[in-house]
Amino acid sequence: MSDVDRRSIEMLREEYERVSANLGDMQRRITELSATAVSPRREVSVTVGNQGVIKDLHFPTAAYRKLPKNELAELITKTIAEAREKATEQMAELIAPMMPGGLDAKAVLSGDVSAEALASVQPQLPPMVAETQRHRAARIDEMRR
């Protein structure tokens, strides 16, 4: 094995370790992700986790008591939706660097991207891998001459 190949392998290993460490950090951040929304007049506060599941719902003031049941129900529903939207935005920010070019992470998480659009995206190789492949292809071309 040549020194160039050894160096390439070492650089690929370092890149792999860097990506692996970043994935572990991202996974931790996703697990810890939560978002809170509070209604405009502070009648209700909702906190959701990374998948939009309600973790906490409480009434910071007594203002909710003045609302008719149907208005309170609608207010709770809207506040839950706002908290879920915030969680989706946070998740999109976390995963955006890992998404292939041209894909909007928030649109993917929201289900607004068709399966055809996802299937048509060509994954990008890490720069070091792409460079190694170009180098290897050039060497093969030289050997064939």
Side-chain angles (χ1 to χ4, degrees):
M1 185 181 302
S2 74
D3 287 340
V4 172
D5 287 340
R6 284 189 185 100
R7 172 102 172 102
S8 294
I9 290 170
E10 180 62 23
M11 290 172 72
L12 286 171
R13 187 188 61 73
E14 290 170 3
E15 175 75 7
Y16 171 78
E17 288 174 0
R18 186 187 63 74
V19 169
S20 293
N22 288 343
L23 286 174
D25 181 55
M26 182 187 304
Q27 184 177 24
R28 179 192 54 76
R29 291 172 61 196
I30 287 172
T31 301
E32 295 171 354
L33 186 144
S34 70
T36 300
V38 180
S39 63
R41 294 186 308 234
R42 299 189 36 82
E43 300 94 341
V44 64
S45 172
V46 178
T47 300
V48 299
N50 62 357
Q51 295 181 357
V53 175
I54 298 170
K55 295 172 101 177
D56 184 43
L57 184 146
H58 71 276
F59 304 95
T61 67
Y64 74 94
R65 294 182 180 151
K66 298 176 185 173
L67 295 174
K69 290 180 184 179
N70 61 335
E71 286 182 34
L72 179 59
E74 184 177 326
L75 185 62
I76 291 170
T77 302
K78 284 182 180 179
T79 308
I80 291 169
E82 183 182 336
R84 286 180 173 158
E85 178 67 19
K86 287 180 178 181
T88 299
E89 288 171 3
Q90 289 179 28
M91 182 75 77
E93 286 178 23
L94 284 174
I95 68 168
M98 303 297 288
M99 298 293 291
L103 275 183
D104 177 16
K106 187 174 178 187
V108 170
L109 291 172
S110 299
D112 294 335
V113 177
S114 69
E116 293 82 19
L118 286 173
S120 68
V121 174
Q122 295 296 317
Q124 289 183 327
L125 295 173
M128 174 53 66
V129 174
E131 180 60 31
T132 301
Q133 283 188 334
R134 281 191 293 275
H135 178 71
R136 186 165 284 148
R139 284 187 15 206
I140 291 171
D141 284 345
E142 286 177 21
M143 289 172 43
R144 287 183 180 162
R145 293 182 197 172

